[in-house]
Amino acid sequence: DADVTQTPRNRITKTGKRIMLECSQTKGHDRMYWYRQDPGLGLRLIYYSFDVKDINKGEISDGYSVSRQAQAKFSLSLESAIPNQTALYFCATSANREAGELFFGEGSRLTVL
Amino acid sequence: GQNIDQPTEMTATEGAIVQINCTYQTSGFNGLFWYQQHAGEAPTFLSYNVLDGLEEKGRFSSFLSRSKGYSYLLLKELQMKDSASYLCAVRDSNYQLIWGAGTKLIIKP
C-alpha cells in the first residue's frame, strides 16, 4: 500500500459543484502539502500544514480551502468548482523543515466541465 | 520574482549520457532538488544539493554552482525506463520549494 493515499484518483464534475479531495498518510510526518500541476507549469503550492493546528496559504489558495482532521489526514476542498481548476492535484508530506524531500501521493485528476 | 528555468524537452539514445540543465533566481537558497516523474505518476525524489559540487548516486549525478545559480542532472547509461519528466526545485529563504516546469526526456532505442 502507498504511504500517501489520495482519493478520488479521478473525478469529473460540473461548474459550481463542491468537491473534496482527501489525503491520508502512514509516514508519521507532521508536514503535509497540496499542490496542483498543469501542463507547462511547475508544481504550484495551494496550502500547507505543519501540524493539526497550523494551516498556511500557498501561492494559489484562492478558490480552495483545506482541513487537517488529524496528523494523518489533510483534505482539499473546492467550494464552487470552475473549469480553470481542472488539473492534476498532488498531496505530499515531509518529515521536517530541513529534510526537504517530499513524498507524493499518486495524484487526483480533476476535470471541471 | 522567483524563477526556475529548464529545457522543455530533450531526446537521447539508449545507452548514452544526457545532461539536463536548471538555472534559478530565487529569494535565498536552501538547497536544490531533482525529482523524476513518469507520465501520470507522482514525482519521486532523485537528489539534493546544498553545497557546490557533484553528488553521485548510481547512474545519476547532480551538480550545483550556487554562484552561477546553476545545476545539472547527469544521467548515464540511459535506459528506456528513464523516459520521464525531470523536475528541478529550489528551496528559498522561507524554506518553500519553487518548482521548474520540468524537462521531458525521451529515450530512443
Side-chain angles (χ1 to χ4, degrees), chain B residues 29-83:
Chain B
F29 178 85
N30 281 296
L32 184 142
F33 299 81
W34 284 95
Y35 281 76
Q36 181 190 58
Q37 185 178 24
H38 285 100
E41 297 183 7
T44 55
F45 172 79
L46 283 178
S47 68
Y48 168 64
N49 295 71
V50 67
L51 300 176
D52 291 352
L54 189 69
E55 294 283 341
E56 297 185 80
K57 189 183 294 185
R59 294 188 299 113
F60 293 5
S61 303
S62 56
F63 171 83
L64 174 67
S65 169
R66 288 172 296 170
S67 63
K68 295 182 179 179
Y70 167 70
S71 172
Y72 67 73
L73 180 69
L74 191 71
L75 291 73
K76 301 178 183 178
E77 301 170 11
L78 286 170
Q79 302 175 9
M80 298 303 292
K81 68 178 182 180
D82 297 329
S83 292

Side-chain angles (χ1 to χ4, degrees), chain A residues 37 42 45 48 97-98 100 102 105, chain B residues 35 37 42-43 91 95-96 100-101:
Chain A
Q37 188 175 42
L45 184 62
Y48 60 103
R97 189 176 93 145
E98 284 69 32
L102 296 179
Chain B
Y35 281 76
Q37 185 178 24
R91 190 163 57 183
Y95 278 76
Q96 295 295 336

